[in-house]
Amino acid sequence: MNKSKYSIIYFVLFTMVLVITGTIVFFYIPYKTINLKESNAIITNPSRGFYVQFDTSNLDGLNELNAKGVSLVFLAYDLNEFIDTEISQEKLDELSYAFSSIKAHGLKVIFRAAYGFRDPMDFSDPKSFDIIKNHINQLSPIFNEYQDVLLTVQAGFLGPWGEWHHSNLGLNEGMPTSKVINDLLMTLSEAVPHPVSIAVRRPSYIRLIDPELVNLSRIAFHNDALLSTDTDMGTYDLEYYQRDEELEYIFERTSGVANGGEMPNLSVYTEPTIALNELSKLK
């Protein structure tokens, strides 16, 4: 008998063993019946809902959030002392400790760094993008170490509160240019581990992103004047796009990112029907 016939016989026998074994396993797989019941308990959904703001230098009250059904923390990182120098090791350790504490409590982080969380009249940020780039690169190892804690990283860095106005690197009341936007988002995209999203302040900024330079699927949107005025305090630039157009633009984006923001005051837009419609558009 030649080798090819032996090969055929071995293959047939092997196939029969697999079939028989598979049949035996099929009939002897143990199973268990589970009867589920509805519950009225308050369930804390991860990575969504209302958030509470903390500064990396003050985490008082962090241990109370779980009992309140809060799973998100907005973590502000103030770099006002490092406008023209590297971030000190002490300040880097402060951020690491904050992430570690938040992780220990089972929470997720919305992160933003800025060179001062205060009034524009008493503010200055770096006059060279290279300084900001170096700071982001210093933060990158911490972002990577605590990737599982990060929900999103807000682009921040430019202007007071990191809200991209009155910045030394901007024009027309310190608004960032297309080049600055793309440079900043490229730097963040490399420093922040994939697939953590990076959020910008206005839909119009997303329109200025070069898709050849920045992965748009990672870009989210945070509206820090939710439902407040007809423009949401400048969030929607009515000179070029109406509010409904901007909402539709965000809604039609296919990327699965976390959009969010803050509501500073009540208005006609906080009326429930209007608010729920807009929040659904923001996904």
Side-chain angles (χ1 to χ4, degrees), residues 51 110 154 221-226 259-263:
Y51 61 72
I110 300 167
Q154 295 184 352
F221 161 57
H222 67 95
N223 179 351
D224 285 357
L226 272 170
N259 300 317
E262 303 172 8
M263 189 185 76

Side-chain angles (χ1 to χ4, degrees), residues 9-282:
I9 292 173
Y10 289 148
F11 175 75
V12 172
L13 289 174
F14 180 68
T15 303
M16 291 176 64
V17 169
L18 286 179
V19 172
I20 294 171
T21 304
T23 303
I24 293 172
V25 171
F26 174 79
F27 282 107
Y28 285 91
I29 293 177
Y31 67 92
K32 183 177 182 180
T33 300
I34 300 176
N35 295 313
L36 304 176
K37 296 182 180 180
E38 292 185 2
S39 171
N40 292 323
I42 297 175
I43 305 299
T44 301
N45 287 320
S47 302
R48 66 199 67 206
F50 291 106
Y51 61 72
V52 177
Q53 180 170 336
F54 289 86
D55 187 276
T56 54
S57 64
N58 185 1
L59 302 175
D60 291 346
L62 192 67
N63 60 340
E64 301 172 1
L65 298 186
N66 287 317
K68 297 178 179 179
V70 175
S71 65
L72 282 176
V73 168
F74 179 98
L75 190 61
Y77 192 47
D78 196 332
L79 296 172
N80 68 303
E81 297 180 7
F82 307 98
I83 294 173
D84 53 11
T85 64
E86 288 192 339
I87 303 172
S88 67
Q89 187 59 51
E90 181 182 8
K91 189 67 176 179
L92 293 171
D93 291 343
E94 176 183 290
L95 180 59
S96 293
Y97 177 78
F99 275 134
S100 176
S101 299
I102 290 167
K103 180 175 182 177
H105 287 88
L107 304 165
K108 285 274 194 175
V109 168
I110 300 167
F111 176 83
R112 187 195 300 178
Y115 297 93
F117 288 80
R118 57 184 183 276
D119 188 273
M121 301 303 293
D122 181 31
F123 174 84
S124 181
D125 56 11
K127 296 180 180 179
S128 166
F129 179 73
D130 288 340
I131 293 175
I132 296 177
K133 184 175 182 178
N134 185 52
H135 288 169
I136 293 173
N137 290 335
Q138 284 187 272
L139 299 178
S140 183
I142 303 175
F143 289 152
N144 281 272
E145 181 179 359
Y146 292 99
Q147 175 179 353
D148 56 339
V149 180
L150 282 171
L151 173 64
T152 191
V153 172
Q154 295 184 352
F157 292 96
L158 303 174
W161 304 289
E163 290 198 13
W164 289 26
H165 57 78
H166 294 88
S167 170
N168 286 319
L169 296 178
L171 302 173
N172 301 324
E173 296 188 348
M175 308 291 282
T177 63
S178 177
K179 183 181 187 316
V180 169
I181 290 172
N182 282 282
D183 285 347
L184 177 58
L185 294 179
M186 277 194 296
T187 303
L188 282 170
S189 295
E190 294 174 358
V192 177
H194 188 277
V196 176
S197 62
I198 300 165
V200 299
R201 177 67 180 83
R202 301 180 179 184
S204 58
Y205 294 144
I206 301 177
R207 298 175 187 271
L208 295 176
I209 297 172
D210 184 344
E212 296 294 321
L213 302 175
V214 178
N215 182 355
L216 285 170
S217 68
R218 293 183 66 186
I219 302 301
F221 161 57
H222 67 95
N223 179 351
D224 285 357
L226 272 170
L227 311 171
S228 57
T229 67
D230 59 340
T231 67
D232 279 358
M233 298 182 177
T235 300
Y236 305 122
D237 187 349
L238 302 187
E239 182 178 354
Y240 299 102
Y241 301 99
Q242 295 300 306
R243 184 189 190 93
D244 289 344
E245 291 180 281
E246 293 289 61
L247 287 167
E248 197 64 31
Y249 173 70
I250 293 298
F251 180 71
E252 290 178 352
R253 297 189 72 231
T254 57
S255 52
V257 292
N259 300 317
E262 303 172 8
M263 189 185 76
N265 56 262
L266 299 177
S267 73
V268 295
Y269 295 98
T270 56
E271 190 277 323
T273 302
I274 297 174
L276 289 173
N277 176 62
E278 293 213 357
L279 292 175
S280 69
K281 290 289 185 181
L282 298 178

